[in-house]
Amino acid sequence: MALYGGARDVSMFRRVNRELMGSIISEEVIFYKYKVTQTKTNMYGEAFEGRNFADPVMLFALVEVGPQEAPTSDLGVDFTWTMTFRFLRDDLLSKLNEANQGTFNTYQQPFIQYGAEIHPEVGDIIQYQNGYWEVDNTNATQFFVGKDPQYPYYDAAGNNPLNTGLENFGYNVEVRCDCHYVPSDRLNIIKSRM
């Protein structure tokens, strides 16, 4: 049986992370989920009327700003800029998830309801400050106490011969989105009111 990483430890770790992200760092981004099925494409697979996105969702994130580069080619000067956005995985899950039940009291935002029901994928757009970044890659492999509770490694009889009850230990902490800058005129997103 594992000593650390049980339900009480995970609950405390989740509350500390939410307090840190929401009240101390307070870096907000707007997430646009790409709706593939509602985007009309031409015979080359290109979105000829622009891409369609679900309603925007505001989330707290840790933002890692990458370098800005301006490579030149025969066509002129290009512009590239990478960013990494890290989200608490529980904030992206369903509102019905047990980690998102109830209200969470922070001194800045007294009653925040968590649970955006978003699964980040390639092609989604994240707005940070006045720029837009398209998701190139996602990664969800940062584990509290190094254990993913979804994989307790049972044998054929349904038991773990080394440690029983490992499914009750560990926690998947974050979802990381590696992104690149996209000019706003290439997107079908219109800012009306924030």
Side-chain angles (χ1 to χ4, degrees), residues 141-158:
T141 57
Q142 183 183 20
F143 304 116
F144 178 57
V145 299
K147 172 78 180 81
D148 187 359
Q150 294 183 353
Y151 298 98
Y153 298 109
Y154 295 129
D155 61 10

Side-chain angles (χ1 to χ4, degrees), residues 10 63 79 88 111 114 117-118 159 165 192:
V10 168
V63 180
F79 179 72
L88 289 177
F111 297 104
Y114 291 100
E117 298 184 33
I118 292 177
N159 300 318
S192 58

Side-chain angles (χ1 to χ4, degrees), residues 18-103:
R18 281 187 168 156
E19 183 75 23
L20 181 68
M21 296 277 289
S23 299
I24 297 171
I25 297 172
S26 297
E27 199 67 62
E28 295 175 337
V29 300
I30 300 172
F31 196 96
Y32 293 90
K33 182 72 181 154
Y34 180 38
K35 297 195 302 189
V36 177
T37 57
Q38 295 181 4
T39 300
K40 296 178 183 175
T41 58
N42 60 16
M43 63 188 226
Y44 302 109
E46 301 167 337
F48 64 90
E49 291 180 2
R51 298 190 293 178
N52 289 322
F53 297 94
D55 291 335
V57 176
M58 189 175 288
L59 297 166
F60 292 117
L62 291 177
V63 180
E64 182 182 329
V65 179
Q68 297 180 20
E69 298 175 359
T72 58
S73 68
D74 294 339
L75 300 174
V77 178
D78 198 8
F79 179 72
T80 60
W81 189 4
T82 59
M83 289 239 192
T84 301
F85 298 93
R86 297 172 189 264
F87 302 98
L88 289 177
R89 186 174 169 271
D90 288 335
D91 293 352
L92 301 176
L93 297 175
S94 169
K95 292 178 182 172
L96 302 177
N97 186 301
E98 66 182 59
N100 295 326
Q101 292 297 311
T103 55

